[in-house]
Structures are given as structure tokens and as C-alpha cells.
Amino acid sequence: SVRTFLIRCADFLNRFWDLPQLFFRLILAVRFFKPALFKLQHSGYMTEWFTQLGYPFPAFCVWSVAISQAACILSFPLGLC
């Protein structure tokens, strides 16, 4: 019957309810990868830039931002952010 069909469809969709959320989290992790890698590879340039912006302790700021972005790369797909 139609009711049985709808119940089966609902059960099927309920099994995969978290896939869109996982897909979005993977996109965010990929988007965080490039800036974090840039900050880690070009820390001298980023430190100079942070100095020009007037941030206190620019080297510490660069490394803390890069490490926090790297942590988000790992934690987004796991659902921890």
C-alpha cells in the first residue's frame, strides 16, 4: 500500500540523515586547509603582515592561528566543532 511505501521511504531516508551534515563539514575542513598550510609555510611573511597590522606578539598570533586552523581541519569531519 501507499502507507507502507512511505514508511519504507522514511526509514531509508532516516538512515542517511547525517550525510548532508558530514558533506558540509568536509567542505569546511577542505576550506580551512589552504589558509592553515599557507600560514605554516610562510610564517615569516605572515609575521611581518601581523606586525604591520599592529598585533601584539605577531609570531605567537601566526602560530596560534595556524594551529587552531589545523585543529579545525581535524575536528570538523569528526563533528567536534
Side-chain angles (χ1 to χ4, degrees), residues 33-66:
F33 180 74
K34 188 175 179 182
L37 187 63
F38 182 81
K39 286 178 186 68
L40 291 172
Q41 289 178 339
H42 305 287
S43 61
Y45 169 76
M46 293 302 298
T47 302
E48 290 176 19
W49 185 53
F50 276 33
T51 303
Q52 291 174 357
L53 292 174
Y55 289 153
F57 309 108
F60 175 75
C61 288
V62 168
W63 283 101
S64 63
V65 168

Side-chain angles (χ1 to χ4, degrees), residues 3 5 8 14 21 27 29-30 34-35 39-40 46 49 51 55 64 66 68 72 74-76 80:
R3 184 173 191 266
F5 174 74
R8 285 185 183 174
N14 281 336
Q21 190 176 35
I27 289 173
V30 168
K34 188 175 179 182
K39 286 178 186 68
L40 291 172
M46 293 302 298
W49 185 53
T51 303
Y55 289 153
S64 63
S68 66
C72 283
L74 298 174
S75 61
F76 271 133
L80 301 175

